[in-house]
Amino acid sequence: MKKVLVLAIIALAAVTVAGSVFAESRIVAMSGIVRVSPPAQPGSETWSQAAVGQPLVAGSLVMTGENSRVSIEVSPGNTVRLRGNAKIVIGGPQGRTTRFKLLSGVLRGAFNRLTGGERFEVEFSSMSAVASVKGTTFEAEEGSNGASIRTLFGAIEMALSGGSQSIPQGCGLFVTPGGVIQIRPLTEGEIQDGLGKGQGNRLDLHDFVQNSRDAAAADQDIIVQIREDDFAVGRSLRDVHGNLARVDQRLVRPTPYSIEFVNIVKRDSYRYNGKFSYAGSPGPRFDYLMGRIDFNMGLPDKVVAWPGFFMDNKDTLKATHAFVELANGRLGHATLVVRRDTNFGDNEGDAFKLNGLPLIVDGDAPTTDADGHEAGDLWATTVMTAYGDTNANGILDLGEKTLANRVDLRMEAYVLNATGKVLNVGDFTGNALNDPFGFAKTVAMESILSFADYRPAGTAVAAGNNIDLIVIPDLVIAIAERFGPSLATVDTGN
């Protein structure tokens, strides 16, 4: 009886979830002129000004004016956004699929939480074509110059008259007014226009950090207490392997006594082409770096007041604690998690934790280094030997230096441009000197951390995976630009 009751509850939950995947759409954000018309025959629409929170029933029309925007939530975590001078027909759910019809303009979709067989479809008004989406970020456009759909993260299946066509990530399908169809890779300009200027992936950052912290309640404030004056930047580029990646960075103040830095890299697929081996998944992945510093004094609410505050309290303000975490996925799902937790004043040696195991680098063991200095190319690798701190005393004891307790740290570093090309020292002349801030916004550093685990089966802590991070200088530039006027007014007392 108990088993039957459990099965009944599971079945009821499944039906409830399936029925609510594409519940009634609603407007969640808007700016400028946005109008809505209830279902009507073409040419007999009755338009009224839209409102945030307004539900949109099947058959409703939504239209944006020039320089206007509207975001429509299709289901939790799944949103479409219209740019200016756009018009769509809201579709209703049909089983596990819902469909919107694009009449004109640009529609951007960000679908992060489609599961099972759920799909979202975009129908084009000028041709017999339907784009089928199953978890991706894309842009669809309909206008006098023809129709197109560009997939920025994830693949899209396009149903055309007489057949179907798969559009892989980083590509687009373009149809001229005469019906000529072309599928080609997106240019860097099209990628930057689709991702670099949008706010959608910043919302993805919120969602990811929130989900990745759900097992650590103390860190939830990184989302719920983000303040208006904190910093957030993002950029899309290709990594050294050729994968399309989105980098998001935030500098936040989760508590009055703390500063936290978050760097997240999102890839929809992963191909490794580095200096070492890789046996992980080729599928979608997140990699993140999070660092926090705690102080003995509360910081000002406004970020622009920090320079003066640090100067005024330089003799009494102290850092009390630091925490750094790197991982290749959400907590509970990542195969590699590296943590370092430091209370200043404590003598903790060189220990850090890899998937919970304290490791200590053997300072007496030789390192294996390589780099591109002879050609002037900016890349380098290092391999260091470490051993598990099995007795957790913070000291590498002689009995711990055995092959069955050894884990080698393998590190790769590359300086790249936006297309994933490894830069040369000569690239930093010319434009870099004439426009250093502008040049810096085209540069990124990729750092890859992996491990060779010699510990026997059953005690090994690292598989053939890695943590592949891309760090951009954009946040530092934003801080410099924001703090510039404040720093100029700080009285140093000299």
Side-chain angles (χ1 to χ4, degrees):
M1 180 66 184
K2 185 175 181 180
K3 182 177 180 181
V4 172
L5 179 60
V6 170
L7 291 174
I9 294 173
I10 293 173
L12 178 61
V15 171
T16 302
V17 170
S20 62
V21 167
F22 290 115
E24 193 173 55
S25 301
R26 65 187 182 93
I27 295 175
V28 293
M30 53 178 283
S31 64
I33 298 174
V34 180
R35 294 189 175 95
V36 175
S37 174
Q41 294 295 322
S44 61
E45 298 92 351
T46 303
W47 298 97
S48 60
Q49 178 64 24
V52 174
Q54 179 175 350
L56 301 170
V57 299
S60 298
L61 285 83
V62 179
M63 180 172 62
T64 56
E66 189 172 2
N67 297 323
S68 301
R69 299 288 189 273
V70 64
S71 295
I72 300 171
E73 183 183 66
V74 179
S75 63
N78 303 307
T79 306
V80 296
R81 301 175 179 90
L82 297 183
R83 294 186 179 180
N85 295 322
K87 188 176 181 181
I88 61 169
V89 180
I90 304 297
Q94 299 177 354
R96 299 174 69 81
T97 300
T98 196
R99 179 184 295 184
F100 282 13
K101 186 174 183 178
L102 179 60
L103 301 178
S104 62
V106 177
L107 178 148
R108 174 189 171 87
F111 288 79
N112 306 309
R113 298 184 185 177
L114 297 184
T115 59
E118 299 126 22
R119 288 182 180 272
F120 176 81
E121 294 181 346
V122 179
E123 179 182 357
F124 291 84
S125 61
S126 65
M127 58 179 178
S128 300
V130 176
S132 183
V133 177
K134 189 181 178 182
T136 187
T137 300
F138 68 94
E139 278 194 349
E141 185 170 2
E142 180 81 73
S144 59
N145 294 325
S148 66
I149 187 162
R150 302 175 292 280
T151 171
L152 305 168
F153 285 109
I156 285 179
E157 196 70 25
M158 194 78 172
L160 300 164
S161 54
S164 64
Q165 179 68 52
S166 179
I167 308 171
Q169 174 175 290
C171 295
L173 181 144
F174 302 83
V175 183
T176 68
V180 177
I181 299 174
Q182 179 190 26
I183 298 177
R184 61 168 174 80
L186 301 179
T187 66
E188 291 302 319
E190 288 169 333
I191 293 173
Q192 295 298 329
D193 181 63
L195 286 177
K197 297 179 181 179
Q199 298 296 319
N201 273 13
R202 292 185 183 176
L203 298 179
D204 296 344
L205 169 66
H206 281 275
D207 291 339
F208 170 69
V209 177
Q210 181 72 52
N211 292 336
S212 69
R213 306 256 68 82
D214 57 9
D219 292 324
Q220 291 296 329
D221 286 343
I222 190 172
I223 292 301
V224 300
Q225 292 188 21
I226 284 179
R227 296 171 183 255
E228 184 178 356
D229 287 321
D230 293 339
F231 292 95
V233 298
R235 197 201 314 170
S236 297
L237 68 161
R238 295 196 183 275
D239 63 16
V240 72
H241 319 292
N243 305 303
L244 180 63
R246 171 71 182 179
V247 183
D248 281 285
Q249 293 180 334
R250 287 189 179 273
L251 180 69
V252 299
R253 196 173 70 106
T255 75
Y257 294 86
S258 306
I259 297 176
E260 198 156 55
F261 169 73
V262 182
N263 187 104
I264 291 182
V265 184
K266 175 183 176 182
R267 300 175 178 90
D268 198 67
S269 61
Y270 186 74
R271 175 186 60 188
Y272 177 78
N273 191 30
K275 305 295 184 181
F276 300 113
S277 60
Y278 176 74
S281 169
R285 62 183 282 167
F286 284 101
D287 295 85
Y288 77 89
L289 161 68
M290 191 274 285
R292 188 181 72 239
I293 299 178
D294 300 325
F295 297 92
N296 62 340
M297 299 173 63
L299 305 178
D301 284 342
K302 292 188 177 296
V303 174
V304 292
W306 288 3
F309 175 79
F310 286 130
M311 187 62 65
D312 294 340
N313 298 279
K314 59 184 179 181
D315 296 327
T316 54
L317 182 66
K318 305 292 183 184
T320 60
H321 175 258
F323 174 79
V324 177
E325 179 175 278
L326 300 87
N328 64 355
R330 298 199 314 267
L331 290 180
H333 298 278
T335 57
L336 288 179
V337 179
V338 176
R339 295 190 179 99
R340 170 72 177 181
D341 206 333
T342 304
N343 291 312
F344 292 106
D346 292 352
N347 182 13
E348 296 188 354
D350 294 325
F352 63 92
K353 290 185 177 180
L354 167 63
N355 288 349
L357 173 70
L359 286 179
I360 298 179
V361 174
D362 184 2
D364 296 328
T367 61
T368 303
D369 301 316
D371 57 51
H373 77 276
E374 291 187 2
D377 294 332
L378 298 174
W379 66 268
T381 64
T382 297
V383 180
M384 296 187 297
T385 300
Y387 297 93
D389 185 12
T390 54
N391 57 15
N393 66 352
I395 301 173
L396 186 56
D397 301 316
L398 184 61
E400 293 173 330
K401 297 174 68 170
T402 65
L403 183 63
N405 190 38
R406 176 177 164 182
V407 180
D408 286 355
L409 283 68
R410 308 184 304 188
M411 292 169 282
E412 306 170 57
Y414 307 88
V415 180
L416 311 171
N417 65 11
T419 65
K421 176 182 177 293
V422 177
L423 294 179
N424 187 277
V425 173
D427 294 319
F428 284 80
T429 60
N431 291 334
L433 299 177
N434 297 329
D435 182 15
F437 275 12
F439 179 75
K441 291 180 179 179
T442 68
V443 174
M445 189 185 83
E446 186 166 0
S447 179
I448 308 172
L449 182 63
S450 60
F451 301 88
D453 195 342
Y454 297 88
R455 295 165 64 87
T459 61
V461 293
N465 213 322
N466 63 27
I467 301 173
D468 195 333
L469 290 164
I470 302 173
V471 179
I472 55 178
D474 302 41
L475 188 63
V476 176
I477 296 171
I479 293 172
E481 291 174 342
R482 175 80 69 85
F483 280 165
S486 300
L487 291 170
T489 62
V490 171
D491 183 1
T492 63
N494 297 327

